[in-house]
Amino acid sequence: MRIVFMGTPEFSVPTLMEIVGQGHDVVACYTQPPRKAGRGMEERKSAVHQAAETLGIPVRCPQSLKSEEERAALAELAPDAAVVVAYGLLLPQAVLDIPVYGCLNLHASLLPRWRGAAPINRAIMAGDPETGVEVMRMEAGLDTGPVYMAEKLVIGQDMTAGELHDRLSVLGADLMVRALAALPRGGLVPTPQAKEGVTYARKLDKAETRIDWTRPAREVHDHVRGLSPFPGAWCEMEIAGRSERVKVLRSALDECASGEPGTLLTAGDELLVACGSGAVRLVQLQRAGKKPMPAAEFQRGAQLGAGARLS
C-alpha cells in the first residue's frame, strides 16, 4: 500500500522500519520540525526525520496541518493509509478523510486508560500492573477512536519507563504491520472504546519530578521508575558540605524498614531511605554533569553517612 507515515520520537522508528521492511511504499514521512537542543543549541532533526533520510524517504515538517495548502500537498500523495505514531500534531478531520482507509494510530496504552501525551510514564507512576499497545482508527478527538487491535504487556515491579518504552515500541511495530496486512481485505473490526475508565496522561512537568519522601515507599518507587531515564526523579543531598541535586534513576522496595521520611537508614554500599511508610533502596544515581552510576560507586564519592537527610 501507499503509506504516509507520521511520527517524531525514537518510539516511532521501529514501526517505520517494519512498514518499510514489509514492502509497503512509504511515500512521505511527516515529523516535527528540527528543534534547537544541547549546549550549543544546534538544530536537531527528530529520530523519524533521521531514519527517513537514511531510508531515502521524502520528509515534510509542517508547523501545522490546518492550512489548505498542507491538506492539498497530502492529498497529492494519494495515500491508501496514514500511520501515526507519536507525531505530536493534531490532525483535522479534513486530513483524516484523505487516505482511502483512513488514519491508523499506534497508542502506548490500553485505551481508554491513559489517553494523551505520556501514557508510558503515567502507567508506571500510577503503579499499573499492565499496559499495552493498540492500533486505533483516528478521530478528531484526543485518542477517542475505535480500537482495531491490541497487545497487552505486564509491567514488572522494577521496570523503568525507558525499559517499557523499548518493549512497547517493538511490540507496537509488529502490531501495526499486522493491522496494515489485514486492512485492505476488510480484516479489521473497529471496537468502540469503553465510556468508563477514561484517564488522561498529561505531559510531564518539571514541577512533579522532585521526590516526596513522605509518600509510601511503593509510590516513591513508582515515581522514580516512571521518570527514568528522563526527565529523572531527584532529591537534594548534602555532599562535601554543600547541597546538591541528585537524580535517582533506579530504586528497589523495602517495605519492612521504617524511619523518619527522607532519612538515610543505612549507608555504605547500600543506600536505604525511609519513606512515609516503608523504605526504598537507591540503586542507581546521577550527579549533575556526571554519568549514571550504581549506588556503591556513587557512595565512594559522596560519602553519605547513616542519619543523613535527603530532601
Side-chain angles (χ1 to χ4, degrees):
M1 289 193 295
R2 289 176 61 84
I3 303 292
V4 166
F5 187 85
M6 298 179 169
T8 297
E10 192 65 41
F11 182 85
S12 315
V13 174
T15 302
L16 172 60
M17 302 300 287
E18 279 293 312
I19 291 172
V20 172
Q22 291 296 316
H24 294 288
D25 182 14
V26 180
V27 295
C29 278
Y30 281 69
T31 189
Q32 290 280 310
R35 308 290 190 197
K36 291 183 178 180
R39 293 182 178 179
M41 294 302 290
E42 296 180 356
E43 286 198 341
R44 293 183 182 176
K45 297 175 180 178
S46 74
V48 166
H49 195 146
Q50 295 176 54
E53 288 187 337
T54 300
L55 294 166
I57 300 171
V59 178
R60 297 187 178 183
C61 304
Q63 296 286 348
S64 168
L65 292 173
K66 295 180 180 179
S67 71
E68 183 61 41
E69 181 182 358
E70 287 297 339
R71 290 197 293 269
L74 179 59
E76 285 180 5
L77 296 171
D80 293 314
V83 172
V84 184
V85 187
Y87 178 31
L89 284 185
L90 292 175
L91 273 59
Q93 189 62 50
V95 169
L96 297 175
D97 293 338
I98 290 173
V100 176
Y101 296 107
C103 299
L104 276 62
N105 176 237
L106 180 68
H107 188 73
S109 80
L110 300 176
L111 296 165
R113 187 161 177 78
W114 302 128
R115 294 174 178 172
I120 294 174
N121 305 88
R122 295 298 175 189
I124 292 181
M125 293 169 75
D128 290 1
E130 67 174 8
T131 186
V133 284
E134 295 188 337
V135 174
M136 56 177 284
R137 186 179 71 203
M138 293 189 72
E139 295 180 346
L142 178 63
D143 299 328
T144 58
V147 175
Y148 285 129
M149 299 176 72
E151 286 283 358
K152 293 183 178 181
L153 181 68
V154 173
I155 302 176
Q157 179 174 285
D158 296 323
M159 183 179 284
T160 66
E163 292 166 340
L164 182 57
H165 167 283
D166 294 348
R167 292 280 301 278
L168 290 178
S169 67
V170 174
L171 191 64
D174 177 71
L175 188 68
M176 181 59 78
V177 293
R178 285 192 279 133
L180 289 176
L183 187 61
R185 62 173 187 265
L188 295 183
V189 179
T191 302
Q193 293 183 35
K195 295 182 180 179
E196 300 77 28
V198 176
T199 57
Y200 289 93
R202 69 185 187 279
K203 287 183 178 180
L204 298 175
D205 191 314
K206 289 183 179 179
E208 63 182 317
T209 55
R210 186 169 192 161
I211 298 171
D212 180 359
W213 299 110
T214 66
R215 295 169 66 184
R218 185 168 294 276
E219 291 184 12
V220 172
H221 177 57
D222 292 342
H223 181 76
V224 166
R225 63 197 186 98
L227 294 174
S228 177
F230 182 84
W234 61 275
C235 65
E236 289 188 348
M237 306 178 183
E238 187 169 313
I239 301 175
R242 65 184 183 89
S243 182
E244 185 173 324
R245 180 181 292 197
V246 177
K247 288 184 179 182
V248 180
L249 300 177
R250 285 187 184 274
S251 58
L253 278 172
D254 188 333
E255 295 180 287
C256 296
S258 63
E260 185 68 21
T263 301
L264 190 61
L265 301 177
T266 61
D269 288 349
E270 286 197 351
L271 301 176
L272 185 66
V273 185
C275 301
S277 60
V280 294
R281 184 172 289 103
L282 309 186
V283 176
Q284 186 183 49
L285 305 97
Q286 183 177 19
R287 297 175 70 173
K290 298 185 179 297
K291 68 182 192 324
M293 61 187 74
E297 182 182 345
F298 170 87
Q299 179 66 334
R300 283 196 290 273
Q303 294 294 307
L304 300 176
R309 296 300 302 270
L310 282 57
S311 61

